[in-house]
Amino acid sequence: MTEVREPHTVAVVGAGAAGTLTAVQLCETATRRRTPLGLVLLDPAPEAGRGTAYATRDPRHRLNVPAGGMSCYPDDPGHFTRWLCRHGEPSVTAADFATRYRYGAYLADTLAQAIVRAQGTVTVRRLRTRAERCTGTPEGGLALHLADGGHLAVDSVVLATGPAAPSASWAPPALRTSARFITAPWAPGALDGPLSDTADVLLVGTGLTAVDLSLSLDRPGRTVHALSRSGLLPQPHALTPAGPMSAPEGLDDTSLGRLRRAVYRHISRSVRTHGDWRPALDSLRPHTARLWESLTPEDRAEFLAREGALWNTHRHRMAPATAESVARACTARRLTVHTGAVTDTVEHDGSLLVTLSNGRTMHVGWVIDCSGPGRRFDDPLWRSLFASGAAVPGPLGMGVATRDGRLLDLEGRADRPLFTLGAPRRGELWETTAIPEIRVQAAALAAQLLAPLTGRTGRPRTSRRPVDGHGLALSTHAEAAAAYRSGLNRVLKVRAGAEDAFARAVAVDPGFALGHAALALLGHECGAAVDVPRALAEAQRSARDHADERERSFVEVVTRRVHGDDGDTALVRHLDAHPGDALALAAAVPTIAFSGVTDLDDDQALRLVERTSPAYDGHWFHTSLLAFLRQGQGRLHEAGELAHRALAVEPASGHAVHALAHVHYESGVHEAGREWLDGWVSGQGRGAVHRAHFSWHIALHELALDDPAAVRRRWFAQLAPGRMVTGVRALVDSGSLLWRARLSGSWPGELPTGNVLDTVAQDVLERPATAFTALHAAVALAAAGDLAALQRLRDHAAGADSVQREVIAPLCEAFAAVVEERFQDAVRGLDALLPVLRRVGGSAAQREVVEETLLYALVAAGRCDAARRLLDARLERKEAPRDRRMRAGLPA
């Protein structure tokens, strides 16, 4: 039966790793560009993604590349590691080596997710059959003739067939005909015989296949022999990888002799510098294809003859756990490695007498071909292509000849829509069989196949584009733009639900760059439940496909902020060019929602906001930001007026409420401030995304009013970690309030610090990324009395950025002195830090916790005169009944 051809259909022949990666990229690229596509996956295997390499269920068979190098996406290297964390391995790291079977499950799941997301744009069919011939059609397409007798007409074909099958040309004739010779060890049931008895086994080949099989076949009473011409086993990966190296100079010289000398000098330098040759070899990986292409055919042949085996054993390495198992088997003589070749075989009485080229003989029950892939493809489909001249062998007879993945015909032309990737390009690229190379080829191939359908810019531009809430054009359609405007409005008001709105925007338009970038920003800056690397990669891909200059600039800003790559400078530059970009302005100003541009002091931040003023024409959001910055300058009356002006237009403006909360606190208007803010939190503030922080402000009023019962009620009702307070907010708000309550005598008995620390990841507590987080981590750890964790935080800060080194590290020492009741030491440390504490960031109300700790230490050390002077200074700044009570209680 002949199937009806769909409008532009791509057939991917082979659903192993290469075919799966190609299908994923085709689905996601077509979806981003809204390009209708028919995709057919042809493979008789029961499950896509596994192929030969990842079907083994033996848990001893591990990947030979760490998890951090096995992502499906070249621009999202952590994708596989995060998948493992979500699927039962929460403690896995990028340096761990997963099992091959788990990786097959990852490939299958990633493809399934891509197909689900592509519904409505890409029609996917899975045919469990083989393609045996490929011919052209009058329309310029291709017809695949299937093993079940059917035909499939398509527009283009991707041959993702994996490595060529071993030819077993090395085997003597008597061995080739023996039932005890296994030529395809990974075929289902192929190893049933060797696994069911204890007879010795000969593995011909000493590469990674032989290593895996030696583990499966290892058992007491059996010797597994491994034989190859080099007698070299793969080298192990380092237990603790050394730092990266840059590639050496002299790689542009096309002479193999000079190139060889440059590489060996580079390896010697790596051994001297790192004590390890691996960084040197790994640094060559990005250049391998270019170097191979630059060599003459004679040089390539010489390299294969002289260095081929050495390169493979050092380049394709074993996982450390695998290497340890192999070493144990060798020590116990259950695995023996031989150098040479098989010259003769005689079958007698259920066993094989094998003679080697070194004259040695051995009796084995089985001989297994582990010699690696063959040079020529010999399945029916490839034979038909070679016979018709549609494909020709590649350089040195390896693989097939291609140009950028497109098959060359007998005339050297690349006219037919026939493509391939991975192992078939080995003659052209040399290194092309590993996932890091195949995933790059798959992405490039998807772009190449879809380019004629969508044009260079991706989707066609419409004459009128929708706009955001401030008149800036959006490269999307109306439905996605409406969801984006809703998310932006929630960000500007500091209300919950922004990430849900942005997620809706990219769900209806997966190619909407700004939607993905906004999600990445919220995940990175605000702790939203977003897969930040994934969202960022999608933003970058979509920006390349379809975005204007402003949108590309914003994606670059978010990229730099996430990667810590001078994002502040990029953000300021972006706002200079696009002052009306409200989301960028919100991210630039350090208020309640974002960390802001950390290099700007309050005056510089104010100038930045003032420069953008003409683009907003008195908009409530811009007025709210001005109010917050004015209070930071101490211009409290002006800040209050601006906040009230903004709230008159938008009563839910969180930035204006935040500014007014600081105005009330710094003015000493505690009773009225508590009443007003409590009313707002119970009303308009119900939807605030940082509602706990507003509750923290109310609790500060209650501390100042010397109302311990109210403080405790507030903490348990609105600030105890749980549904309302999670992540870093538990440190910044809940933990700091507990410590301040203890210092002022408002919380007798044990502090519930365990609730706070259990909510925060250990990395955040002991290895925080910013000085502001580190300050509050130190406060929480001091409140818990955890001196060991304080020391670990101090050690981290000592090796971090300059603010952590110069402020946080000595602050940890001072807090430790308070916990240990070395109050004189604590006073000296804290007093020295007050003048530089502003460098940590945050508001004066947040940094005030250090001053209150100093006050506590002064009183505990008996330095009442100094404590009185500090209290007088505080009361001069703002009235507080608690400070009055503490001053009155000091001895004369």
Side-chain angles (χ1 to χ4, degrees):
M1 176 181 176
T2 302
E3 295 193 32
V4 178
R5 194 180 83 178
E6 299 179 358
H8 202 90
T9 302
V10 177
V12 178
V13 179
T20 297
L21 292 174
T22 303
V24 167
Q25 291 291 344
L26 283 169
C27 284
E28 296 193 353
T29 305
T31 303
R32 280 197 309 275
R33 299 181 182 185
R34 283 187 279 164
T35 303
L37 182 71
L39 176 61
V40 183
L41 285 173
L42 280 160
D43 195 304
E47 184 181 6
R50 296 201 178 277
T52 299
Y54 308 115
T56 171
R57 290 180 176 271
D58 192 326
R60 292 166 293 188
H61 295 171
R62 296 192 171 271
L63 299 174
N64 61 307
V65 174
M70 293 295 286
S71 167
C72 285
Y73 303 98
D75 52 359
D76 185 6
H79 188 261
F80 177 45
T81 308
R82 300 196 305 277
W83 184 90
L84 288 171
C85 290
R86 293 194 301 270
H87 289 79
E89 300 182 49
S91 60
V92 74
T93 71
D96 291 331
F97 291 81
T99 64
R100 293 185 177 278
Y101 194 78
R102 289 288 277 165
Y103 189 70
Y106 162 69
L107 288 174
D109 185 58
T110 302
L111 175 59
Q113 295 297 324
I115 291 172
V116 168
R117 289 192 295 269
Q119 286 181 354
T121 303
V122 182
T123 302
V124 181
R125 288 178 291 163
R126 173 85 157 83
L127 302 182
R128 289 186 58 186
T129 185
R130 296 185 186 277
E132 294 190 335
R133 282 195 304 127
C134 180
T135 58
T137 65
E139 297 83 10
L142 296 167
L144 290 171
H145 304 260
L146 308 180
D148 59 9
H151 295 73
L152 182 67
V154 296
D155 293 281
S156 52
V157 171
V158 177
L159 299 166
T161 54
S167 65
S169 59
W170 54 267
L175 179 59
R176 290 186 214 172
T177 59
S178 172
R180 292 186 168 271
F181 180 41
I182 301 172
T183 58
W186 297 119
L191 296 179
D192 288 350
L195 289 172
S196 63
D197 67 22
T198 58
D200 290 354
V201 176
L202 172 62
L203 309 177
V204 180
T206 56
L208 292 167
T209 295
V211 166
D212 281 346
L213 293 185
S214 73
L215 298 179
S216 295
L217 298 169
D218 183 27
R219 63 201 58 212
R222 162 183 283 168
T223 299
V224 176
H225 301 274
L227 170 73
S228 70
R229 295 187 182 277
S230 68
L232 297 174
L233 288 171
Q235 292 290 312
H237 281 277
L239 281 171
T240 305
M245 283 185 75
S246 57
E249 297 179 358
L251 292 184
D252 294 327
D253 195 326
T254 57
S255 163
L256 178 60
R258 285 192 285 270
L259 181 60
R260 181 185 288 125
R261 288 191 292 273
V263 169
Y264 277 113
R265 284 196 300 269
H266 183 52
I267 291 173
S268 297
R269 186 161 52 250
S270 176
V271 172
R272 291 194 303 271
T273 305
H274 299 285
D276 190 356
W277 51 267
R278 294 171 183 84
L281 202 64
D282 293 342
S283 72
L284 300 176
R285 187 165 190 169
H287 309 278
T288 303
R290 175 175 60 83
L291 295 175
W292 179 257
E293 185 180 12
S294 71
L295 295 176
T296 65
E298 294 76 18
D299 281 346
R300 293 182 187 180
E302 181 185 342
F303 171 79
L304 289 177
R306 290 186 53 181
E307 280 95 13
L310 194 64
W311 172 271
N312 284 329
T313 56
H314 286 75
R315 167 66 183 80
H316 302 285
R317 305 193 280 270
M318 294 184 281
T322 302
E324 184 179 348
S325 297
V326 168
R328 285 199 302 267
C330 289
T331 301
R333 298 186 181 277
R334 296 195 307 272
L335 173 62
T336 305
V337 180
H338 308 273
T339 301
V342 176
T343 58
D344 190 27
T345 306
V346 177
E347 186 167 353
H348 175 69
D349 197 21
S351 67
L352 298 170
L353 176 63
V354 179
T355 303
L356 306 184
S357 56
N358 59 12
R360 176 173 178 173
T361 60
M362 62 179 67
H363 284 277
V364 296
W366 307 86
V367 175
I368 303 177
D369 188 357
C370 303
S371 58
R375 291 199 171 194
R376 292 289 304 267
F377 292 91
D378 198 36
D379 66 89
L381 176 58
W382 281 109
R383 282 202 305 269
S384 77
L385 293 172
F386 287 128
S388 66
V392 294
L396 301 179
M398 295 191 300
V400 295
T402 64
R403 181 183 301 142
D404 296 327
R406 195 162 188 159
L407 267 62
L408 296 177
D409 62 16
L410 201 57
E411 304 298 324
R413 297 172 303 188
D415 295 337
R416 293 192 180 189
L418 271 169
F419 303 83
T420 192
L421 76 165
R425 299 184 67 183
R426 188 164 178 249
E428 173 195 2
L429 301 174
W430 176 237
E431 285 289 345
T432 181
T433 58
I435 293 297
E437 282 77 33
I438 296 174
R439 67 191 181 194
V440 172
Q441 295 173 30
L445 198 54
Q448 184 179 356
L449 286 163
L450 294 173
L453 308 180
T454 56
R456 187 175 62 85
T457 59
R459 297 169 292 184
R461 291 183 180 274
T462 57
S463 56
R464 293 186 62 186
R465 290 189 290 160
V467 296
D468 68 4
H470 299 268
L472 299 180
L474 301 173
S475 297
T476 187
H477 52 67
E479 186 180 357
Y484 179 83
R485 285 193 295 272
S486 173
L488 178 60
N489 190 44
R490 289 176 178 276
V491 169
L492 303 188
K493 290 179 181 177
V494 199
R495 296 187 75 78
E499 61 267 32
D500 293 335
F502 291 138
R504 286 198 305 274
V506 298
V508 297
D509 182 5
F512 184 21
L514 271 190
H516 290 298
L519 281 171
L521 183 67
L522 290 187
H524 176 67
E525 299 265 344
C526 307
V530 175
D531 186 340
V532 174
R534 173 75 174 170
L536 187 58
E538 291 285 4
Q540 294 165 338
R541 298 166 194 159
S542 301
R544 288 193 296 268
D545 285 346
H546 184 65
D548 61 20
E549 188 278 329
R550 175 186 73 89
E551 293 165 322
R552 288 194 298 272
S553 173
F554 185 77
V555 170
E556 177 66 17
V557 165
V558 177
T559 300
R560 289 179 174 274
R561 287 182 76 83
V562 170
H563 293 159
D565 182 18
D566 200 17
D568 288 351
T569 301
L571 181 52
V572 172
R573 189 167 56 242
H574 175 84
L575 282 168
D576 286 341
H578 309 285
D581 193 332
L583 184 54
L585 185 60
V589 180
T591 60
I592 191 174
F594 296 98
S595 60
V597 178
T598 56
D599 289 343
L600 301 183
D601 59 28
D602 288 344
D603 291 338
Q604 292 170 317
L606 181 63
R607 286 195 293 272
L608 175 65
V609 173
E610 288 174 337
R611 285 204 308 272
T612 63
S613 181
Y616 292 88
D617 192 25
H619 190 275
W620 60 263
F621 164 65
H622 195 269
T623 304
S624 300
L625 293 185
L626 280 174
F628 186 80
L629 293 173
R630 291 294 188 211
Q631 67 80 26
Q633 291 181 306
R635 296 162 66 172
L636 300 179
H637 180 72
E638 185 178 352
E641 287 187 342
L642 289 167
H644 282 297
R645 188 188 309 168
L647 289 168
V649 179
E650 179 48 76
S653 172
H655 289 302
V657 172
H658 193 211
L660 201 54
H662 279 279
V663 168
H664 288 154
Y665 183 71
E666 300 300 341
S667 302
V669 186
H670 298 300
E671 196 69 67
R674 171 171 67 171
E675 182 179 351
W676 182 87
L677 191 52
D678 206 6
W680 185 87
V681 167
S682 303
Q684 290 284 350
R686 285 184 177 274
V689 70
H690 295 298
R691 191 178 177 199
H693 187 64
F694 294 115
S695 297
W696 174 82
H697 272 282
I698 301 171
L700 287 192
H701 286 306
E702 290 166 342
L703 277 174
L705 290 167
D706 216 14
D707 190 345
V711 172
R712 291 193 295 274
R713 284 196 303 271
R714 181 79 54 189
W715 195 91
F716 283 112
Q718 298 176 355
L719 285 160
R723 185 178 59 85
M724 291 182 58
V725 191
T726 59
V728 175
R729 287 252 77 98
L731 288 181
V732 175
D733 298 327
S734 309
S736 67
L737 180 65
L738 286 177
W739 182 240
R740 292 168 88 148
R742 162 59 57 82
L743 297 175
S744 64
S746 299
W747 199 299
E750 185 177 354
L751 295 175
T753 53
N755 295 349
V756 175
L757 300 184
D758 290 344
T759 305
V760 184
Q762 187 173 358
D763 276 359
V764 175
L765 276 172
E766 298 180 9
R767 292 177 292 278
T770 67
F772 177 75
T773 304
L775 164 65
H776 288 87
V779 168
L781 292 173
D786 193 337
L787 290 170
L790 262 177
Q791 180 61 45
R792 291 192 291 271
L793 175 60
R794 186 257 171 224
D795 293 343
H796 162 78
D801 58 79
S802 60
V803 179
Q804 292 209 49
R805 288 196 307 271
E806 297 164 16
V807 182
I808 300 301
L811 186 68
C812 289
E813 294 173 355
F815 275 132
V818 173
V819 173
E820 294 178 322
E821 299 185 357
R822 293 182 287 107
F823 295 115
Q824 292 289 3
D825 294 338
V827 166
R828 283 192 294 272
L830 295 169
D831 193 47
L833 288 171
L834 286 184
V836 297
L837 199 59
R838 194 182 189 92
R839 297 174 62 194
V840 169
S843 66
Q846 289 167 320
R847 297 190 299 268
E848 195 177 50
V849 66
V850 177
E851 184 183 72
E852 293 184 355
T853 307
L854 171 61
L855 179 60
Y856 176 85
L858 285 170
V859 174
R863 297 181 57 178
C864 297
D865 288 343
R868 188 177 293 107
R869 288 193 296 271
L870 180 55
L871 282 166
D872 287 343
R874 286 165 60 88
L875 288 165
E876 188 174 344
R877 289 201 309 266
K878 59 176 177 283
E879 180 59 36
R882 176 200 55 194
D883 286 357
R884 290 256 175 231
R885 185 256 303 168
M886 292 180 68
R887 191 187 186 289
L890 290 174

